[in-house]
Amino acid sequence: MPVGRRRDGLISARKVAGFTQEGLADVLHVDRSTVARWEAGDYVPLPYLWPKLASVLGRSRDELQALIGPSAGTREFNPDDSFEPVFTWLDRRAGWPLGRAREQVYASAAASSRNRPNPPRSVIADALADYYAPPTSDHRPYVARCGQVEVTTTVLTRPAWLDLACSLTPTGEHTAFEGGRARPSAVVDERAAVQRLADAAASGIRITDVPLYRLLEVDPQPGALRAKVGIASFVEYALGVDLLERELIEYLASGRTARPGHMPLRDRQLPDVSAVLDLPGRLCAGGVLALTAIARPADPFRGDADFVLLVQTRSAQVVNTADRLSVIPKSFHGPLADRRADARIGVTLRRELEEELFGRTDVDRSAGDLRVADPMHPTRLSAPMRWLTDQPGRLRMECTGFGLNLVSGNYEFASLVVIEDEAFWPRFGGDVEANWEAAGLQQYSTLDGELITELIGDENWSNEGLFAFLQGLRRLAEIGGDRVEFPAVELGC
């Protein structure tokens, strides 16, 4: 539906009901600019606002959604608009005349396949274990067992980086932004970059020119997390080190064995474990991902009181781990409005809860330029997040482990989000809704050990998602009490 029709529909409905923009904003307890953005077609209302908005405008929810837009999603994605800064960056990096990158990308996009190889997770893990063998005495791929299921991942870690139980609060986390440090020059293969953008344009993958944090130093310890981060460009990452995943998957899809000396991009950028551990000497971008566990009261149909665990299937529009299982939220670590204040892992995690589970589209960094001075100001929070932050103890966020992902060298802060007040689910459970980054959302009960064990063995996991899931389960077993009944997750060698 064209944006103009959505705008006219909402304006007409508002005027028929006798509301000005200011009046509708007062009734719904939002600011006037939010109503203006709905009418402009930039954003749609958050999930919890649809019933009340429909009621005050005298329409059914279905009628109102037909006027504003088909679903509570985000703005339509236009590759031409999103990729323009990316094309400019590649032209400059390659020394091409402006416009050359666009021409090459769209010439290649016509022949690009939308069907990307998606080998089993364990195949990727085994291939990288062979490539980086033998491991160092202290750093090894993360291995865990649950019941009869044992898994090895691509996450390089060490015992001191696991089971951190570090509260993501100002007292437990000390992640500092450090500006001005020299950045390593970008390593870009222009041919591979053009093909990557062609595939993205053909498949609707979002690649935008936004800032990312790069990890400079890290010292994770039980109960305390210290790190230093600098700044980098997402384009530099997406067209540089992130291409190592594509190279590896294509190599495996051809039936070849991953060996040093046979994969040019990896051999040049991450040839060995020492290169992976050299954080200041390379672009080490990364992510914050968390297992979300929400307490539920006993139910006559479902059973005893438990935690519901949320697991997503990543959509085809995300840059990496498309169509894979993962915990939710899962995000790149990057600033939104304040590079220094946003550096904390806990800040990214709160923002991603708002975006990926509570429907906030105005904190989506891929949607365009930010126009709000303080996106996480208390007056802008969704109703579920406002309720969680109104009283101490309603929301627990902890870092459960740290590792470096051998796929692209990313850093991974595995975390756990626990909502322990069981009043939340009856009140806001219907407002929990994944955003465009997820193709589907499934729930699992912490009382169903059989299904959880089966889920751990699913080959469609992303390696970092499984790492965060397993570390989250280990911590839940310690703090969950009678709400938790599943086999112990034991760490391997």
Side-chain angles (χ1 to χ4, degrees):
M1 183 181 294
V3 170
R5 289 179 59 190
R6 291 202 298 268
R7 182 178 189 276
D8 293 343
L10 182 59
I11 290 175
S12 299
R14 172 172 61 77
K15 288 185 175 180
V16 168
F19 283 100
T20 62
Q21 281 186 349
E22 292 81 358
L24 189 58
D26 287 342
V27 170
L28 298 174
H29 303 293
V30 299
D31 57 286
R32 187 193 62 79
S33 64
T34 297
V35 177
R37 288 199 299 272
W38 298 343
E39 292 184 345
D42 283 345
Y43 298 104
V44 294
L46 304 180
Y48 75 92
L49 286 171
W50 281 104
K52 190 169 185 179
L53 180 60
S55 175
V56 298
L57 295 181
R59 303 293 184 99
S60 71
R61 175 169 175 160
D62 289 343
E63 289 174 331
L64 192 60
Q65 285 187 308
L67 289 173
I68 301 177
S71 65
T74 62
R75 291 182 285 182
E76 292 183 0
F77 174 61
N78 186 338
D80 292 328
D81 294 339
S82 174
F83 284 10
E84 201 59 42
V86 183
F87 294 149
T88 301
W89 184 92
L90 184 55
D91 282 333
R92 290 173 177 169
R93 175 64 182 78
W96 295 338
L98 290 180
R100 174 74 60 80
R102 185 193 306 107
E103 293 173 1
Q104 293 199 14
V105 166
Y106 283 109
S108 300
S112 181
S113 173
R114 293 173 180 265
N115 298 319
R116 291 172 289 182
N118 204 22
R121 183 205 56 77
S122 63
V123 171
I124 297 174
D126 290 344
L128 289 176
D130 290 341
Y131 183 93
Y132 290 104
T136 68
S137 58
D138 200 24
H139 296 87
R140 293 176 178 272
Y142 179 84
V143 178
R145 175 188 292 274
C146 182
Q148 299 301 310
V149 177
E150 182 174 304
V151 293
T152 300
T153 74
T154 63
V155 177
L156 190 73
T157 188
R158 57 192 300 204
W161 292 353
L162 301 175
D163 298 332
L164 300 177
C166 174
S167 177
L168 294 175
T169 61
T171 57
E173 180 198 351
H174 304 276
T175 303
F177 175 74
E178 185 175 294
R181 186 181 290 203
R183 293 166 56 180
S185 59
V187 178
V188 178
D189 181 296
E190 288 84 4
R191 181 176 176 273
V194 166
Q195 190 57 53
R196 172 62 180 277
L197 290 176
D199 289 348
S203 303
I205 297 172
R206 299 191 179 194
I207 298 179
T208 52
D209 190 16
V210 296
L212 281 181
Y213 288 123
R214 56 181 292 254
L215 190 62
L216 303 173
E217 300 176 17
V218 66
D219 182 22
Q221 298 180 9
L225 174 62
R226 298 185 182 277
K228 290 183 179 179
V229 296
I231 208 71
S233 161
F234 185 81
V235 175
E236 183 180 357
Y237 164 80
L239 301 185
V241 69
D242 192 52
L243 294 181
L244 301 187
E245 178 179 14
R246 174 193 176 92
E247 178 188 57
L248 174 65
I249 289 176
E250 290 182 347
Y251 202 84
L252 296 176
S254 68
R256 291 174 289 178
T257 301
R259 292 180 295 168
H262 290 76
M263 290 188 288
L265 297 181
R266 184 169 299 274
D267 294 339
R268 182 180 179 187
Q269 298 186 61
L270 288 180
D272 50 38
V273 171
S274 295
V276 174
L277 298 174
D278 181 18
L279 303 182
R282 66 180 181 90
L283 172 54
C284 183
V288 179
L289 62 168
L291 173 62
T292 297
I294 305 174
R296 298 188 296 191
D299 182 90
F301 296 99
R302 187 183 61 249
D304 295 335
D306 66 352
F307 287 107
V308 59
L309 306 177
L310 300 179
V311 175
Q312 65 169 314
T313 301
R314 302 282 284 168
S315 81
Q317 289 183 284
V318 296
V319 171
N320 49 33
T321 67
D323 303 317
R324 296 279 187 182
L325 295 175
S326 184
V327 294
I328 188 169
K330 169 180 166 57
S331 170
F332 280 100
H333 186 207
L336 190 59
D338 186 331
R339 291 186 177 186
R340 194 168 301 279
D342 290 348
R344 293 180 180 273
I345 303 303
V347 170
T348 293
L349 203 50
R350 289 185 190 89
R351 182 182 75 218
E352 292 305 311
L353 282 171
E354 283 281 73
E355 179 191 345
E356 295 190 26
L357 286 177
F358 299 155
R360 287 279 302 279
T361 57
D362 58 333
V363 293
D364 182 356
R365 297 191 306 147
S366 72
D369 293 334
L370 185 71
R371 298 190 294 271
V372 180
D374 188 357
M376 292 298 290
H377 190 277
T379 59
R380 299 187 66 87
L381 297 180
S382 66
M385 182 60 80
R386 188 177 296 118
W387 186 88
L388 288 172
T389 55
D390 273 347
Q391 293 184 16
R394 283 179 171 172
L395 179 65
R396 177 200 291 257
M397 298 194 306
E398 295 182 352
C399 181
T400 57
F402 173 81
L404 296 166
N405 197 335
L406 295 174
V407 172
S408 297
N410 293 3
Y411 62 88
E412 310 288 358
F413 284 103
S415 305
L416 175 66
V417 172
V418 185
I419 300 174
E420 296 175 304
D421 190 331
E422 64 178 23
F424 176 88
W425 189 256
R427 186 168 182 172
F428 296 110
D431 298 325
V432 176
E433 181 177 349
N435 71 345
W436 66 269
E437 297 174 56
L441 192 63
Q442 297 293 322
Q443 56 176 261
Y444 292 84
S445 170
T446 50
L447 297 180
D448 198 333
E450 182 180 357
L451 278 183
I452 288 177
T453 304
E454 181 180 306
L455 176 64
I456 291 170
D458 194 314
E459 284 285 2
N460 204 39
W461 275 101
S462 66
N463 277 280
E464 67 273 20
L466 184 56
F467 171 57
F469 185 74
L470 292 167
Q471 284 299 105
L473 290 180
R474 285 175 60 81
R475 181 59 175 154
L476 268 181
E478 296 175 349
I479 64 176
D482 293 339
R483 294 179 183 271
V484 174
E485 289 183 13
F486 48 75
V489 177
E490 301 174 344
L491 298 183
C493 296

